[in-house]
Amino acid sequence: MTAIGDPDTVAAGVTVGVIIPAAGSGTRLGEPVPKAFVDLHGRTILEVCVAGVVDAGVATTVVVVVPADLVERARGLVPDAIVVAGGAHRSDSVRAGIDAAGSASEVLLVHDAARPLTPSAVFGRVVAAVRSGHPAVVPGLPVTDTLKQIEPRSAAGSERVVATVDRDLLRAVQTPQGFTRDALLAAHADTSGLATDDAGLAERCGIPVHVVAGDPLALKITTPWDLRIVRDIVAEPPPPVE
Ligand code: CTP
Ligand code: MG
């Protein structure tokens, strides 16, 4: 494993902080412990995620944000990371991470702990795009299902289709999402802002968001089905892509 801040591997001349929000409870997963502390064949999701970030070799600083009562446990699991307590909403946790990262990082990535198998190449593409001048960058994948827009649910709970959406113009967006420090600060300046991702907050401030190629391995563990898929991949990893 590469050390955080290894000068040979950190992108030349740019300091990159990676903030890992891991303070959610994992309600949809339904495990007895918060999602980041669920086991993946002997290591927690959090440990696998941080190891992936460190192996990507882009980070000068790694900040992990966990539930307040699990800060000490997380410090034991990921001793090379800065560990701080999160908040009620994902955006609150990201803000706690931004504060803990300090002002040293010119580029900040926000990467969900719930995407522990994200390949190094995705980190590389995101950092390269921010370095090339994009203030906000997201990895995204084309959508393969046919997508229908429905009417707001009726009182009876029935769903009626109003349109078929042009999926060629849609991307399923993943993390890490990359920002110049200024862009991420601007996105989170309005502390009432709630969104399921940080780029969504940036968009609301008028910051242009650039898409680079995501990867199916960056899938998010949300449901028991996702956990089953990720455990299967950890047990039998696919060959590395050249
Ligand atoms: N997260 C966080 N702080 C919160 C809520 C979420 O740091 N208050 C993190 C989660 O730990 C996860 C990421 O944000 O790594 C994406 O959130 P999600 O997949 O929704 O995880 P949970 O909120 O834990 O799951 P659920 O919504 O099912 O409760
Ligand atoms: Mg959530």
Side-chain angles (χ1 to χ4, degrees), residues 12-73:
V14 177
T15 48
V16 179
V18 181
I19 297 162
I20 303 180
S25 54
T27 315
R28 289 167 291 178
L29 190 59
E31 291 283 316
V33 293
K35 184 157 68 180
F37 296 83
V38 167
D39 176 77
L40 287 180
H41 297 294
R43 287 192 299 166
T44 58
I45 290 174
L46 178 65
E47 288 170 275
V48 175
C49 181
V50 171
V53 169
V54 172
D55 283 348
V58 297
T60 36
T61 308
V62 177
V63 177
V64 169
V65 190
V66 297
D69 59 336
L70 289 168
V71 167
E72 285 313 317
R73 171 145 158 71

Side-chain angles (χ1 to χ4, degrees), residues 91-92 95 184-194 201 204-205:
S91 318
D92 302 323
R95 281 185 203 108
L184 191 61
L185 287 177
H188 280 275
D190 176 1
T191 52
S192 66
L194 289 180
L201 296 174
R204 283 184 215 160
C205 302

Side-chain angles (χ1 to χ4, degrees), residues 20-30 34-36 45 49 65-67 86-94 111-115 175 196 220-223:
I20 303 180
S25 54
T27 315
R28 289 167 291 178
L29 190 59
K35 184 157 68 180
I45 290 174
C49 181
V65 190
V66 297
H89 301 286
R90 185 184 176 283
S91 318
D92 302 323
S93 299
V94 173
H111 180 50
D112 289 336
R115 299 181 188 271
T175 72
T196 53
K220 182 157 79 77
I221 301 172
T222 306
T223 63

Side-chain angles (χ1 to χ4, degrees), residues 80-188:
D80 290 338
I82 298 166
V83 181
V84 294
H89 301 286
R90 185 184 176 283
S91 318
D92 302 323
S93 299
V94 173
R95 281 185 203 108
I98 295 170
D99 289 345
S103 57
S105 302
E106 295 154 70
V107 174
L108 287 170
L109 306 189
V110 184
H111 180 50
D112 289 336
R115 299 181 188 271
L117 303 185
T118 304
S120 295
V122 179
F123 288 89
R125 284 195 285 275
V126 170
V127 171
V130 178
R131 291 186 70 201
S132 75
H134 296 288
V137 177
V138 295
L141 288 176
V143 178
T144 53
D145 286 323
T146 297
L147 298 176
K148 305 283 186 193
Q149 185 183 340
I150 57 167
E151 273 181 345
R153 223 174 254 247
S154 71
S158 69
E159 293 185 346
R160 206 173 85 94
V161 170
V162 288
T164 300
V165 182
D166 181 0
R167 72 177 175 209
D168 287 347
L169 298 177
L170 297 176
R171 294 292 176 265
V173 162
Q174 305 176 319
T175 72
Q177 300 191 347
F179 304 87
T180 60
R181 189 165 180 279
D182 287 348
L184 191 61
L185 287 177
H188 280 275

